Amino acid sequence: MTPVRLDGCSLTRAGLVAVARGAPVELDPARLPAVARAADFLAEQVRREEPIYGVSTGFGSNADRLLGARRQRDAEPGDAHRGETLHAELQRNLIETHAVCVGEPFAADVVRAMLCIRINTLMRGHSGIRVETLQALAAMLNAGIVPVVPQLGSVGASGDLAPLSHLAIVLLGGGEAFYHGERMPGAEALSRAGLSPVTLSYKEGLALNNGTAQMLACGVLALHALEELLDTADLAAAMTIDAFAGRLGAFAPEVHALRPHPGQVEVAAHLRSLLDGSTLADIPYHLVPRFRPWAPRSWDTPDSRALRFDIGWDWVPLDQRHGREKFYTRFRPFRGGKKHQPQDSYSLRCIPQVHGAVRDAAAQAARVLEIELNSLTDNPIVFPDARADHVEQQVISAGHFHGMPLALAMSYVKAAIPVLASISERRLNKLLDPATNDGLPGFLIGNEDATESGFMIVQYTAAAIVNDLASRAMPASVYSIPTSANAEDHVSMGANEARHVLSMVDDLGKVLALELYTAAQALDLRRDMINAARDLSRRSDAGALAGKVYGAPDPDLDAEGCKAFLAEVEGLRTELAHAPEFQPGRAVAAAHARIRESIAFLGRDRALDAEVAAAVALVKGGEVIAAARSV
């Protein structure tokens, strides 16, 4: 894989994702003199006995404690000193005592991203780390050593202290790491990779563990996955619209020009593209039959007898049209699957407004993350070339480690994820409910013998996930718990926020997969039902189609009404017979075909667990959206 060059200024989200997935890194040689300059400056200040936070003082609430020239007590028996200075001991102790996270380890991609972020920010040349230490960190990453970083332990200020200490402790030959997939002591991982432990110098422990790398890594990887799912959500919605033979006027460009939120405009355009070529969307209401259960005499040819349904309409009698004559001049007097109304439900009509708002939340998060990727986030900040009367003007304690910019951005995304999942589940439910699915069979199964559940419980699973997402959406960023004896009296909780978002995005994908799985079944039924009516109309006369229409007048009691009925059925037959074959949008059709490669139409109840898992895998692997994009 092509190495990603790190210079502290130009790391992109795409570059970080590449490193997370295995790309090596290289340090920009042009930046290394600035890195060395800051390290040399600190060494000179220590020689001058200048008091510098985290270099010649303790940390946090111990910042008022100055390091002396020698230890105040001798080592305890059996606890011989390592032959290191107090300054080196301070940095080592910082890493060793701060590596206290608990829980399951982060996945390798998160840890690799954390390492990449840390190296990149240190390349800015304001942290005081030595070039050789930075090179050792890059060598560890490139060797494929993945430190074990348990997920729980950061409050997001001072940065991600505990998780980053789990990264750094392996560099020192401590902790644990994965190497070639095997978990082992950190020293053994270094040895197997041909690397040696590092002894830290002035401020290097603080430079290694003071920053926002965990929350930023989780945030970037979450947003990368979410951006794919935003397109997948639009695709699932488009397939559902085709399955409903929905109305496209709500997505017209002139409509959204009047309320031009960027995400909303983008989603409307995306839907128009996905549905391009559809002859199901905007179909005249009267052409859409409704489902009726299959019966032995439902159809008249061997091919049609293989269908999984029967179809039908209700005729609107002449005496029920008073005051509605103009309407029935434009629309034929047949009630099938589609109600004669110009608007669909909110879960269809408001897709641009809802999906678009989620896109805007993601775009805001992207802006924040892209700034953070090339920001310095440790403390104190070293300005070795600044003109100054005293060292405090060159080594400045600030608050760049505070994760609140990321935390609030992630809070916004965290609130948006259940919204996208919820509207997806509502569309799924609408497809299953015979009261709302515009003439499709209940639970999308024929159920002639009353023994079948079809897709009933698929909706239960989606509902359970949506509820779980909603219950996890409370922003962690609003609940600060002070740390370090109140020296750190306001923290961001951004690490929890980003970690939650990363797991929530994965669950969002499951809900969208369930909608696609269900919409594919509904689309088959809708398309086949309308095309069955078309085929019957092309091969038969009005009498045959009249057999699918309920409410005909009695020929013995109302001859004139019967004549009018047959004439109107002939008009319906002629329109159906001359219609092109009904099909979804081209992109929707390509996505549907990819689903059908892995999952067959459900003609009769069968075990669905493997199919649900396959649908989830198709979404997670990007195969369904890739099929749609290939058109």
Side-chain angles (χ1 to χ4, degrees):
M1 301 176 73
T2 303
V4 174
R5 174 164 287 199
L6 302 180
D7 60 7
C9 303
S10 58
L11 179 61
T12 64
R13 289 191 291 133
L16 183 65
V17 171
V19 174
R21 293 178 175 176
V25 300
E26 61 182 18
L27 308 183
D28 185 350
R31 293 296 307 164
L32 295 180
V35 173
R37 173 77 181 100
D40 293 343
F41 169 80
L42 285 181
E44 175 63 16
Q45 300 311 307
V46 172
R47 188 187 66 78
R48 294 179 178 180
E49 299 182 354
E50 292 284 0
I52 300 174
Y53 173 78
V55 176
S56 53
T57 76
F59 304 108
S61 61
N62 287 324
D64 60 346
R65 303 285 301 276
L66 295 174
L67 271 65
R70 57 184 175 81
R71 292 179 177 83
Q72 294 297 307
R73 65 178 182 181
D74 293 330
E76 299 293 334
D79 183 31
H81 289 302
R82 305 181 187 187
E84 59 192 358
T85 66
L86 283 175
H87 294 91
E89 181 180 335
L90 175 72
Q91 301 303 316
R92 175 179 56 78
N93 283 347
L94 176 71
I95 298 301
E96 291 181 344
T97 62
H98 283 48
V100 293
C101 291
V102 297
E104 290 298 311
F106 277 112
D109 60 343
V110 175
V111 178
R112 287 183 58 84
M114 290 170 65
L115 282 166
C116 179
I117 290 164
R118 200 76 221 117
I119 295 167
N120 190 62
T121 191
L122 296 173
M123 286 291 288
R124 293 297 299 265
H126 290 278
S127 298
I129 195 168
R130 293 170 300 166
V131 169
E132 54 263 40
T133 304
L134 200 50
Q135 289 170 332
L137 197 62
M140 186 172 78
L141 173 60
N142 289 340
I145 296 173
V146 178
V148 172
V149 182
Q151 295 188 21
L152 300 173
S154 174
V155 297
S158 297
D160 297 317
L161 288 172
L164 288 174
S165 296
H166 282 276
L167 287 185
I169 199 170
V170 174
L171 192 66
L172 276 58
E176 290 186 292
F178 293 99
Y179 186 62
H180 292 193
E182 182 182 350
R183 186 168 179 169
M184 63 188 68
E188 183 177 349
L190 290 176
S191 177
R192 288 198 192 183
L195 303 176
S196 300
V198 169
T199 299
L200 298 179
S201 185
Y202 311 115
K203 192 183 173 286
E204 288 190 327
L206 197 56
L208 288 169
N209 80 352
N210 205 234
T212 59
Q214 180 200 316
M215 64 185 92
L216 182 55
C218 289
V220 169
L221 293 176
L223 197 62
H224 178 76
L226 179 59
E227 286 171 339
E228 283 291 288
L229 291 180
L230 293 173
D231 282 354
T232 303
D234 293 349
L235 173 61
M239 192 176 292
T240 297
I241 289 167
D242 260 335
F244 272 108
R247 302 289 168 242
L248 302 187
F251 313 136
E254 63 270 23
V255 169
H256 295 280
L258 298 176
R259 195 196 191 198
H261 292 291
Q264 179 179 320
V265 172
E266 184 178 356
V267 170
H270 193 206
L271 290 172
R272 294 194 301 271
S273 174
L274 291 166
L275 292 162
D276 183 52
S278 173
T279 51
L280 290 169
D282 285 332
I283 185 175
Y285 306 101
H286 53 266
L287 295 186
V288 182
R290 70 171 177 270
F291 169 85
R292 284 203 173 101
W294 178 92
R297 291 191 293 273
S298 293
W299 300 100
D300 59 351
T301 67
D303 287 345
S304 63
R305 290 190 189 104
L307 294 171
R308 303 166 291 261
F309 49 77
D310 194 3
I311 58 174
W313 291 264
D314 288 327
W315 182 64
V316 181
L318 297 170
D319 59 5
Q320 292 184 19
R321 304 181 199 177
H322 181 67
R324 305 178 181 89
E325 291 85 358
K326 185 175 181 180
F327 179 87
Y328 287 113
T329 300
R330 181 182 174 193
F331 298 104
R332 299 187 189 278
F334 299 94
R335 293 175 179 153
K338 285 297 282 186
K339 294 179 180 178
H340 285 211
Q341 60 184 31
Q343 58 187 31
D344 290 321
S345 65
Y346 285 9
S347 63
L348 300 180
R349 187 172 17 132
C350 299
I351 292 165
Q353 290 78 8
V354 177
H355 288 206
V358 176
R359 281 184 181 267
D360 287 341
Q364 165 62 8
R367 185 190 68 80
V368 172
L369 297 177
E370 285 160 3
I371 292 172
E372 192 78 359
L373 273 174
N374 295 291
S375 296
L376 185 105
T377 59
D378 65 308
N379 181 68
I381 303 171
V382 181
F383 295 93
D385 298 318
R387 298 183 63 178
D389 297 323
H390 47 76
V391 73
E392 287 83 4
Q393 294 173 318
Q394 292 174 291
V395 184
I396 301 175
S397 287
H400 286 355
F401 50 70
H402 202 293
M404 194 55 75
L406 280 71
L408 288 178
M410 288 295 101
S411 295
Y412 191 5
V413 174
K414 194 176 180 184
I417 288 171
V419 170
L420 198 57
S422 176
I423 196 170
S424 174
E425 183 277 331
R426 286 294 81 197
R427 291 190 298 261
L428 188 164
N429 182 76
K430 184 176 171 64
L431 287 168
L432 301 181
D433 187 349
T436 61
N437 68 9
D438 287 359
L440 295 172
F443 307 115
L444 302 180
I445 197 78
N447 199 22
E448 296 90 355
D449 301 310
T451 61
E452 297 175 308
S453 297
F455 282 66
M456 179 192 297
I457 309 301
V458 173
Q459 184 262 334
Y460 284 46
T461 300
I465 298 171
V466 170
N467 175 265
D468 187 64
L469 287 170
S471 67
R472 291 151 65 191
M474 177 182 172
S477 57
V478 302
Y479 190 45
S480 171
I481 300 176
T483 55
S484 191
N486 278 310
E488 297 160 5
D489 54 358
H490 186 277
V491 300
S492 74
M493 296 299 177
N496 283 345
E497 206 77 279
R499 180 174 54 83
H500 293 163
V501 170
L502 184 59
S503 66
M504 290 170 71
V505 167
D506 190 60
D507 287 341
L508 169 64
K510 297 182 177 89
V511 176
L512 298 176
L514 293 173
E515 183 185 0
L516 281 163
Y517 176 46
T518 305
Q521 176 83 0
L523 180 57
D524 279 330
L525 286 164
R526 181 73 71 192
R527 179 198 60 203
D528 293 352
M529 286 167 58
I530 300 177
N531 281 325
R534 174 180 175 271
D535 293 345
L536 177 63
S537 298
R538 288 165 69 91
R539 70 173 183 268
S540 304
D541 59 15
L545 187 62
K548 302 296 184 186
V549 180
Y550 288 64
D554 187 331
D556 295 331
L557 299 177
D558 186 1
E560 287 301 314
C562 188
K563 183 178 179 181
F565 167 75
L566 288 173
E568 290 178 337
V569 170
E570 172 59 22
L572 177 64
R573 187 203 68 79
T574 300
E575 189 173 352
L576 280 165
H578 287 88
E581 184 174 5
F582 292 98
Q583 59 189 14
R586 284 181 285 273
V588 170
H592 177 271
R594 179 62 192 90
I595 293 170
R596 285 289 170 257
E597 288 176 12
S598 300
I599 305 169
F601 176 86
L602 186 69
R604 294 284 182 270
D605 267 6
R606 59 177 182 252
L608 302 183
D609 55 337
E611 297 180 6
V612 167
V616 170
L618 287 172
V619 167
K620 191 176 183 67
E623 295 179 55
V624 181
I625 191 62
R629 289 169 176 165
S630 69
V631 174

